[in-house]
Amino acid sequence: MPRLLSLLLLACAALPAQADEHTVVVKAAAPEKGCVEVEVHGQRAQSMSCLSEKLLPNSNTIKRPPPPLSGAEAAVQRPSNQLGLYNRAALEHRMGNAFGKSVTPQRPAPAPPASPLLPPR
């Protein structure tokens, strides 16, 4: 009996070595994770975390550099004051405290006339 048991154990140990040569292992593809939709009292609600995961961009699109801009697109990206267009900040600076009050820009007060009696500074 012990001899039969050791022979059986030896045969079982040799089977996997022979099976590796002729065995093809097929693994099933992992199923796509789907969003769970729950219905409570007639109202449907979806998992927000699942939906936000689906809206994330693929990892290969994140690593890809943006395409180069054409001439027209590069001009649109420039600031408005470089293009000669209206710029509120520049207008406020030019007008000073007269912005919104007058159409003439702020100018410094005129210098008082010099007196012929006082020595020049």
Side-chain angles (χ1 to χ4, degrees), residues 34-51:
C35 294
V36 177
E37 188 175 286
V38 180
E39 186 172 331
V40 179
H41 299 294
Q43 292 186 350
R44 292 184 173 183
Q46 291 184 336
S47 170
M48 287 298 168
S49 61
C50 178
L51 291 174

Side-chain angles (χ1 to χ4, degrees), residues 1 5 8-9 21 23 26 37 41 44 55 62 74 78 81 101 105 107-108:
M1 181 78 172
L5 187 58
L8 183 64
L9 193 59
E21 299 171 6
T23 305
V26 178
E37 188 175 286
H41 299 294
R44 292 184 173 183
L55 290 175
I62 293 174
R78 292 173 56 195
N81 58 351
K101 299 177 186 171
R107 298 285 181 248

Side-chain angles (χ1 to χ4, degrees), residues 5 34-35 48 61 67 70 72 77 93 111 115:
L5 187 58
C35 294
M48 287 298 168
T61 59
S70 69
Q77 299 290 331
H93 181 71
S115 169

Side-chain angles (χ1 to χ4, degrees), residues 53-113:
E53 276 182 32
K54 284 190 168 190
L55 290 175
L56 290 175
N58 296 337
S59 61
N60 60 357
T61 59
I62 293 174
K63 296 175 185 173
R64 185 174 46 200
L69 296 176
S70 69
E73 290 172 331
V76 171
Q77 299 290 331
R78 292 173 56 195
S80 62
N81 58 351
Q82 287 183 3
L83 297 173
L85 300 175
Y86 168 78
N87 188 322
R88 181 179 174 97
L91 179 65
E92 286 179 2
H93 181 71
R94 184 172 60 91
M95 295 297 289
N97 65 358
F99 182 72
K101 299 177 186 171
S102 173
V103 294
T104 57
Q106 175 190 6
R107 298 285 181 248

